[in-house]
Amino acid sequence: IFAMAGEAGVIYYPYQHEDVITTVEGNLVYCQGATAVEGFGEVGEFHFGRNLYWDASGRPLRFGGCSLEKWRARGYDVDSVVADPGFTNPEAGDFTLSPDSPALALGFKPFDLSTVGPRGKVGADS
């Protein structure tokens, strides 16, 4: 689950090697006005599929600086969907899925969210 990102839901800073293969599959990308995907397609080989994308702000999603249609014309995310994932309360950090979430139809397997993400103060005092 990629959620609440500032600049982009999924961002890639390319290495200077053409032999890099990056696979982005089976993810939930939840944006609020940010670009869905950025930085891909410049150097290397990329595979995108079975992802679910959603922008809660209502803005059209952008993929590598283009629309979803152009992104798919490049061969990316042809089997991905744009739909509300049905998170319980994302604004409060609750990313559990409703039983009718379209993410489940894509094969997304829910996991224990209590073990991920920020859990407290980081640093010498923790």
Side-chain angles (χ1 to χ4, degrees), residues 86-99:
F87 291 132
T88 300
N89 189 353
E91 290 76 20
D94 186 350
F95 295 96
T96 54
L97 295 170
S98 65

Side-chain angles (χ1 to χ4, degrees), residues 3-85:
M4 314 299 235
E7 185 178 341
V10 179
I11 191 165
Y12 174 75
Y13 294 104
Y15 297 98
Q16 297 303 313
H17 306 285
E18 293 181 10
D19 60 348
V20 173
I21 299 173
T22 303
T23 301
V24 181
E25 293 182 346
N27 299 288
L28 309 183
V29 181
Y30 183 86
C31 301
Q32 290 183 312
T35 299
V37 175
E38 192 59 64
F40 290 87
E42 297 167 17
V43 176
E45 181 179 332
F46 307 97
H47 304 277
F48 287 81
R50 295 182 301 100
N51 295 303
L52 182 146
Y53 297 97
W54 184 249
D55 190 325
S57 76
R59 285 183 41 196
L61 289 163
R62 302 294 294 167
F63 297 81
C66 62
S67 67
L68 177 60
E69 292 75 25
K70 288 183 180 179
W71 182 247
R72 285 183 169 160
R74 295 179 183 174
Y76 304 133
D77 279 313
V78 295
D79 58 353
S80 295
V81 299
V82 174
D84 186 338

